[in-house]
Amino acid sequence: MVEPGTYDDETLVAEAAEDEVRPDDRIDDERHDEENRLKPEYVRGVRDALDQGDKTAVYDLVEPLHPADIADLIELLDTEERAALASSITDLMTSEVVAELNDHVREVMMEALEPGAVATIAEQLETDDAVQLLEDLDEDDQKAIIAELEPETQAAVESALAYPEETAGRLMSRRVMAVPEHLTIGDLIDFLRENGDLEHDFHEVFVIDAAHHPVGTCALNWILTTPRSVKLTDVMKRDQTLIPVTMDQEEVALMFQKYALISAAVVDDSGRLVGQMTVDDIVHIISEEAGEDALLLSGAGDGDINEPIREAYSSRVRWLIANLGTAVVASAIIAFFGAAIEKLVALAVLMPIVASIGGNAGTQTMAVAVRAIATNQLTRANTRRILWKELRVAVLNGATVAVLIGIAAGVLFSPMMGVVIAAAMIINIAVAGLAGVLVPVIFERLNQDPAVASSVFVTMITDSMGFFAFLGLAVASGLTA
Amino acid sequence: MVEPGTYDDETLVAEAAEDEVRPDDRIDDERHDEENRLKPEYVRGVRDALDQGDKTAVYDLVEPLHPADIADLIELLDTEERAALASSITDLMTSEVVAELNDHVREVMMEALEPGAVATIAEQLETDDAVQLLEDLDEDDQKAIIAELEPETQAAVESALAYPEETAGRLMSRRVMAVPEHLTIGDLIDFLRENGDLEHDFHEVFVIDAAHHPVGTCALNWILTTPRSVKLTDVMKRDQTLIPVTMDQEEVALMFQKYALISAAVVDDSGRLVGQMTVDDIVHIISEEAGEDALLLSGAGDGDINEPIREAYSSRVRWLIANLGTAVVASAIIAFFGAAIEKLVALAVLMPIVASIGGNAGTQTMAVAVRAIATNQLTRANTRRILWKELRVAVLNGATVAVLIGIAAGVLFSPMMGVVIAAAMIINIAVAGLAGVLVPVIFERLNQDPAVASSVFVTMITDSMGFFAFLGLAVASGLTA
């Protein structure tokens, strides 16, 4: 890849001759399958070379890969293989590769290095990537590494770490192309020609006033297609989206999506431009945040497949224990009806059906509600309407399922049993529908993350109500007389 | 907002005088709360004005909103209010607003209009937005509307609809800035000045050869910071990512994320440049695809809170019925042990605990596995290692929970009961861990979406195994003798 270097108007770039024409389209080449995953045969080839200790072969296999693909390869290997790989491809292990690694894999790798070595890697990264590298490390390790940084990097990193995790202040890029508002397009182009940092892409120019407040933005394609004499203030876009430095990453991501932004200015309390966020950071956040809910809802915590066993255990077991509690509550209800079950063991056979389907209906509704809350589609302004709608869906579902199971039970056991289980089913599914919306909404109003806590409560409600309704109706109907 | 218009070098733009300085930062203004949602008070204000039939007040309230916010407002109102709103703000109901609407809401709105009116809206949109408008409509409605389109738009729309849904060919923008490779930077700038389509932003210029194949890309900031005499082929980036026109949207999104792309060329079978995809489309896809899993896993289908009742019912009820099937299988196992339960009703009290916790553990593992498969982190190359890891996590979790419930049951019932339930718990959770990984992986190998189908099977396995292990061990241990 030839990057523009510094040119005189008459000099050709020396690197041009070295450029290997490599139109690597990265799909369906000999290393990737059609879904852009590294082929197992390729990975096996690397593994075999590692086993044989053939460092040259390993290097040759890995060298053509994009840094993101090298990171993928590292993630696919196991711990010993990773160490062997790292020692075989030392100059290919660039800071780019490190920045692309999965968090857990990178953490282990950084812990194995001396602070000085980590500092060297961090120096080559952009501030936001360097911060990402350091933020999950031990506080002592962190301090040791920061101490080894150049003063400029040190200041930038410490400034970022001063902001809470997952806020704009932590994640933003401090490198911003900002120009004063009195320039013309021609002035701007000259300025860019002199100061254009060719290593760092930018997509917009921010226009600021004397107090360093952003007053507008200028898209690069506008600059290119507007005559030089026009004033910046005549073409810039004044309608702007400013991100407060304290804004949570999830909200930033939603703003980017909603207003189709490529980049946005980050401002401090006094409205001064302090950095920018760009859409490629957002893309990562969106994927993370949107995918999180499935994991949180099921109590799988971080849910990263590369998580160490210790962490996966500790985050999941606490939810299993919480669910143990709710299961015991449900069992207490069953115990209350123990005598009835003794008389009619068919009750024990059928009761899990009611609880189970109720639980599924509750989970369906809850997944929809949690997603709607996260994407700002379920707010105070439409909660009542949505609740009413979900209740109607639940009753429809309940009635359908009730008819099916009622007929089956009526045939296999007795007509009254059919009626009892059908009635219990409708009640439980209706309750599940209500709980599936109300529990997440209540958590959201209490400023808790609905995805994390709702599941336990919704399950408790549906299990308990399922057993209570079925067994209670069975007794009340005289089935166990 | 002042857009650059056509200028002579010496003429100022007339619109400049009309520009209302409106630095609306959209956070915490009188209409939005700190999470960028429309405030309930504001929405109530709009509702009241609609109730009173005060069209002027409604217009004044809605006029300052960004199109995306007008779309939000429409989504928050109910069906009657929406019709009233639409008639009050006719000229604010731009195609931009329509493009921003939630799919279901927009569908209803389009169905209420004449084909000619829908065609007018479609004409004002970019091809990809127009296609999105039309693709979910009835085939007859669709044909009627397409017939009303201008020939150029008609051709573009029909070409897009020829591709399957959710592929690059359907979603791409046909508007591409592509230039021949023999130009210099200076030629390119002149070309852009003459042909720059000022209404449409672009972020990169694609460089093509004589056969219309992309050979490289040129970022706009490189163009701006490179002297005019340099040849395009000396500065362009040759290392490019090409998207085949048939690629699924989820894979396109993953590629954009992985290689941090802003835009990418879309090519047909013969490698010719046919369009581009840009990151703001991807952002929408990522959010949709990543958030989908929670909904699919729970059987909530589309899971859009704006879904009409009829659709929500039909997509969810089929999963409830499928789960009814698996619950009946589990109940059959209980029935098999009916005699044992009759002798020892404590079995009926405790058995749901084993099934329930097993189900939770299975769901946790499944959520993690599904996400890992979707993000290409769980592939053939590391399945065995991950399976072994998840099994160990499951055994740790199982042992922990087993000890807790074993002690409780041992105290409340009998020591042997404690041992039986503990053993059943470990077995069931271990099985759940294995199933949670294997079931999604198997579906993936069969080219089915793991998120959709896994849940039913994992639940069936954990429920059945839970009851079987517990009741079977109880009988085997002599508890029911």
Side-chain angles (χ1 to χ4, degrees):
Chain A
M1 180 175 86
V2 179
E3 302 240 339
T6 39
Y7 298 82
D8 299 339
D9 265 59
E10 255 75 60
T11 323
L12 283 173
V13 182
E15 291 106 281
E18 296 164 16
D19 185 33
E20 184 193 324
V21 178
R22 228 177 52 197
D24 178 16
D25 65 350
R26 297 201 194 99
I27 314 286
D28 247 354
D29 64 19
E30 66 270 15
R31 289 174 295 275
H32 289 94
D33 65 16
E34 73 286 350
E35 291 189 19
N36 194 242
R37 297 174 298 200
L38 291 171
K39 285 181 176 164
E41 306 85 63
Y42 169 76
V43 178
R44 205 175 314 127
V46 174
R47 283 195 160 119
D48 291 341
L50 285 170
D51 277 342
Q52 294 155 22
D54 189 348
K55 292 196 173 193
T56 323
V58 173
Y59 191 94
D60 289 338
L61 279 168
V62 176
E63 196 267 333
L65 292 181
H66 184 284
D69 290 311
I70 298 181
D72 273 5
L73 176 62
I74 294 173
E75 286 162 14
L76 289 171
L77 301 175
D78 67 41
T79 330
E80 291 152 14
E81 291 168 333
R82 283 174 193 161
L85 180 72
S87 71
S88 308
I89 59 164
T90 38
D91 64 315
L92 296 173
M93 272 297 271
T94 60
S95 52
E96 265 201 85
V97 172
V98 173
E100 294 286 341
L101 279 175
N102 171 274
D103 288 354
H104 297 288
V105 175
R106 180 174 55 225
E107 210 178 308
V108 170
M109 202 171 266
M110 293 302 110
E111 279 167 5
L113 296 172
E114 291 298 315
V118 181
T120 313
I121 296 174
E123 285 289 344
Q124 298 162 36
L125 297 169
E126 289 295 317
T127 308
D128 50 347
D129 288 330
V131 168
Q132 211 190 0
L133 185 72
L134 298 171
E135 68 185 352
D136 289 321
L137 298 177
D138 232 89
E139 227 189 293
D140 296 328
D141 291 339
Q142 222 183 65
K143 288 205 170 86
I145 296 164
I146 291 175
E148 302 270 343
L149 293 170
E150 300 289 313
E152 210 183 292
T153 321
Q154 205 177 60
V157 166
E158 286 181 330
S159 151
L161 287 171
Y163 292 103
E165 250 193 287
E166 298 193 351
T167 54
R170 176 72 73 97
L171 300 161
M172 69 184 182
S173 169
R174 279 159 177 66
R175 199 184 292 278
V176 191
M177 194 60 75
V179 296
E181 53 181 334
H182 57 78
L183 299 183
T184 62
I185 290 284
D187 296 332
L188 176 56
I189 293 182
D190 295 338
F191 172 79
L192 290 175
R193 286 251 161 88
E194 272 165 68
N195 295 291
D197 197 339
L198 300 157
E199 281 195 15
H200 303 102
D201 284 347
F202 58 95
H203 310 291
E204 285 190 296
V205 171
F206 295 96
V207 183
I208 51 176
D209 65 11
H212 224 81
H213 294 172
V215 293
T217 59
C218 216
L220 294 189
N221 61 308
W222 288 4
I223 297 171
L224 276 172
T225 51
T226 306
R228 290 182 59 101
S229 64
V230 176
K231 285 200 219 165
L232 224 46
T233 43
D234 289 339
V235 307
M236 71 184 185
K237 181 172 154 184
R238 289 174 187 270
D239 190 23
Q240 45 182 354
T241 306
L242 303 174
I243 312 278
V245 86
T246 48
M247 186 177 243
D248 183 79
Q249 70 176 20
E250 199 167 5
E251 267 108 61
V252 177
L254 282 171
M255 299 265 287
F256 264 73
Q257 271 182 267
K258 186 172 174 180
Y259 300 118
L261 305 173
I262 298 290
S263 55
V266 181
V267 295
D268 64 12
D269 293 335
S270 46
R272 288 170 51 94
L273 176 67
V274 290
Q276 68 171 338
M277 293 204 68
T278 49
V279 69
D280 44 317
D281 296 319
I282 296 306
V283 146
H284 177 73
I285 292 169
I286 287 176
S287 174
E288 205 178 273
E289 290 282 344
E292 220 170 49
D293 289 347
L295 302 166
L296 291 173
L297 278 174
S298 65
D302 189 348
D304 188 317
I305 206 101
N306 287 296
E307 208 177 15
I309 289 184
R310 185 192 350 113
E311 280 183 46
Y313 165 68
S314 87
S315 68
R316 290 186 218 176
V317 81
R318 70 187 65 178
W319 291 108
L320 290 181
I321 293 174
N323 278 302
L324 197 58
T326 67
V328 164
V329 167
S331 284
I333 291 175
I334 300 171
F336 179 74
F337 290 97
I341 296 173
E342 270 178 327
K343 283 192 208 161
L344 186 54
V345 79
L347 295 181
V349 171
L350 292 174
M351 69 186 186
I353 299 179
V354 182
S356 170
I357 307 303
N360 288 324
T363 305
Q364 284 176 344
T365 312
M366 183 176 56
V368 173
V370 165
R371 181 115 189 93
I373 290 172
T375 53
N376 284 348
Q377 290 186 292
L378 176 56
T379 69
R380 269 207 175 81
N382 64 349
T383 302
R384 193 174 302 174
R385 177 166 72 81
I386 295 297
L387 194 58
W388 176 227
K389 189 194 114 173
E390 288 297 324
L391 182 58
R392 284 181 289 173
V393 174
V395 168
L396 277 174
N397 283 333
T400 309
V401 172
V403 162
L404 290 172
I405 194 62
I407 291 173
V411 163
L412 287 170
F413 295 89
S414 75
M416 181 54 84
M417 184 67 92
V419 169
V420 162
I421 195 172
M425 194 64 88
I426 297 181
I427 292 171
N428 200 21
I429 292 183
V431 166
L434 284 173
V437 176
L438 283 176
V439 171
V441 163
I442 289 171
F443 274 114
E444 216 273 329
R445 303 262 173 101
L446 295 174
N447 266 322
Q448 300 299 312
D449 184 350
V452 171
S454 301
S455 204
V456 174
F457 287 85
V458 171
T459 321
M460 183 168 71
I461 292 169
T462 55
D463 278 354
S464 310
M465 179 54 80
F467 293 130
F468 185 75
F470 178 64
L471 296 170
L473 284 174
V475 169
S477 71
L479 270 173
T480 54
Chain B
M1 179 176 84
V2 179
E3 302 239 342
T6 40
Y7 296 84
D8 299 341
D9 264 60
E10 255 73 62
T11 320
L12 284 172
V13 181
E15 288 107 280
E18 297 166 16
D19 184 33
E20 185 194 323
V21 176
R22 227 176 52 197
D24 177 16
D25 65 351
R26 299 199 196 101
I27 314 286
D28 246 355
D29 63 20
E30 65 272 15
R31 289 174 294 275
H32 289 94
D33 65 17
E34 71 287 348
E35 290 188 20
N36 195 244
R37 297 173 298 200
L38 291 171
K39 285 181 175 162
E41 306 84 65
Y42 170 76
V43 178
R44 205 176 312 128
V46 174
R47 284 196 158 116
D48 292 342
L50 286 169
D51 277 343
Q52 293 156 22
D54 189 348
K55 294 197 173 193
T56 323
V58 173
Y59 190 95
D60 290 340
L61 279 168
V62 177
E63 197 265 334
L65 292 180
H66 184 285
D69 289 311
I70 297 180
D72 274 5
L73 177 63
I74 294 172
E75 287 162 15
L76 288 172
L77 302 174
D78 68 41
T79 332
E80 290 152 15
E81 290 168 335
R82 284 174 192 161
L85 181 72
S87 72
S88 308
I89 58 164
T90 37
D91 63 317
L92 295 174
M93 271 300 270
T94 58
S95 50
E96 263 201 86
V97 172
V98 173
E100 293 286 339
L101 280 174
N102 170 275
D103 289 351
H104 296 289
V105 175
R106 179 173 56 225
E107 210 181 308
V108 170
M109 202 171 264
M110 293 301 110
E111 279 166 5
L113 297 173
E114 290 298 317
V118 181
T120 312
I121 295 173
E123 285 288 344
Q124 297 163 38
L125 295 169
E126 290 295 318
T127 308
D128 50 347
D129 287 330
V131 168
Q132 210 189 1
L133 185 73
L134 298 172
E135 66 186 352
D136 289 322
L137 299 177
D138 232 88
E139 226 190 295
D140 296 327
D141 290 340
Q142 221 183 68
K143 288 205 171 87
I145 296 164
I146 290 175
E148 302 269 342
L149 293 170
E150 300 290 314
E152 210 183 293
T153 320
Q154 204 179 63
V157 166
E158 285 181 329
S159 151
L161 287 171
Y163 292 104
E165 251 192 287
E166 298 192 351
T167 55
R170 175 72 73 95
L171 299 161
M172 70 185 181
S173 169
R174 281 161 175 66
R175 200 183 291 280
V176 192
M177 194 60 75
V179 296
E181 53 181 335
H182 57 79
L183 298 184
T184 62
I185 291 284
D187 297 332
L188 175 56
I189 292 181
D190 295 338
F191 172 80
L192 290 176
R193 287 249 162 87
E194 272 164 65
N195 295 292
D197 197 340
L198 300 158
E199 281 195 15
H200 302 104
D201 285 346
F202 58 96
H203 310 290
E204 285 190 297
V205 171
F206 296 96
V207 183
I208 51 177
D209 65 12
H212 223 79
H213 294 172
V215 293
T217 60
C218 217
L220 294 189
N221 61 309
W222 288 4
I223 297 171
L224 275 173
T225 51
T226 306
R228 290 182 60 102
S229 63
V230 176
K231 285 200 217 165
L232 224 46
T233 43
D234 289 338
V235 305
M236 71 184 185
K237 184 172 152 184
R238 289 175 188 270
D239 187 23
Q240 47 182 353
T241 306
L242 302 174
I243 312 279
V245 87
T246 48
M247 188 178 239
D248 183 78
Q249 70 176 18
E250 198 166 5
E251 267 108 60
V252 177
L254 282 171
M255 298 265 288
F256 264 73
Q257 267 182 272
K258 185 171 174 181
Y259 300 117
L261 305 173
I262 298 290
S263 55
V266 181
V267 294
D268 64 12
D269 295 334
S270 46
R272 289 171 51 95
L273 177 67
V274 289
Q276 68 170 340
M277 293 205 66
T278 49
V279 69
D280 45 317
D281 295 319
I282 296 306
V283 146
H284 177 73
I285 293 169
I286 287 176
S287 175
E288 206 180 273
E289 290 282 343
E292 219 171 50
D293 289 346
L295 303 165
L296 291 173
L297 276 175
S298 65
D302 190 348
D304 189 316
I305 205 100
N306 287 297
E307 209 178 14
I309 290 184
R310 185 190 351 111
E311 280 184 46
Y313 165 69
S314 88
S315 69
R316 290 186 218 176
V317 82
R318 71 187 66 176
W319 290 108
L320 290 182
I321 293 172
N323 277 302
L324 196 58
T326 68
V328 164
V329 167
S331 284
I333 291 176
I334 301 171
F336 179 74
F337 289 97
I341 295 173
E342 268 179 328
K343 285 193 204 162
L344 187 53
V345 81
L347 295 180
V349 171
L350 292 174
M351 68 187 187
I353 298 179
V354 182
S356 170
I357 307 302
N360 287 324
T363 307
Q364 284 177 344
T365 313
M366 184 176 56
V368 173
V370 165
R371 181 116 191 90
I373 291 172
T375 53
N376 284 349
Q377 291 187 289
L378 177 56
T379 69
R380 269 209 175 82
N382 65 347
T383 302
R384 194 175 302 175
R385 178 167 72 81
I386 295 295
L387 195 58
W388 176 228
K389 188 194 115 177
E390 287 297 324
L391 182 59
R392 284 181 289 172
V393 175
V395 167
L396 276 174
N397 283 332
T400 308
V401 172
V403 162
L404 290 173
I405 194 63
I407 291 174
V411 162
L412 288 169
F413 296 88
S414 73
M416 181 55 84
M417 183 68 92
V419 169
V420 162
I421 196 172
M425 194 65 89
I426 297 181
I427 293 172
N428 201 22
I429 293 184
V431 166
L434 284 174
V437 175
L438 283 175
V439 171
V441 163
I442 289 171
F443 274 114
E444 216 272 329
R445 303 262 173 101
L446 296 174
N447 266 323
Q448 300 298 314
D449 184 349
V452 171
S454 301
S455 203
V456 174
F457 286 86
V458 171
T459 321
M460 182 169 71
I461 292 170
T462 55
D463 278 355
S464 309
M465 181 52 79
F467 293 131
F468 185 75
F470 177 64
L471 296 171
L473 283 174
V475 169
S477 70
L479 269 175
T480 53

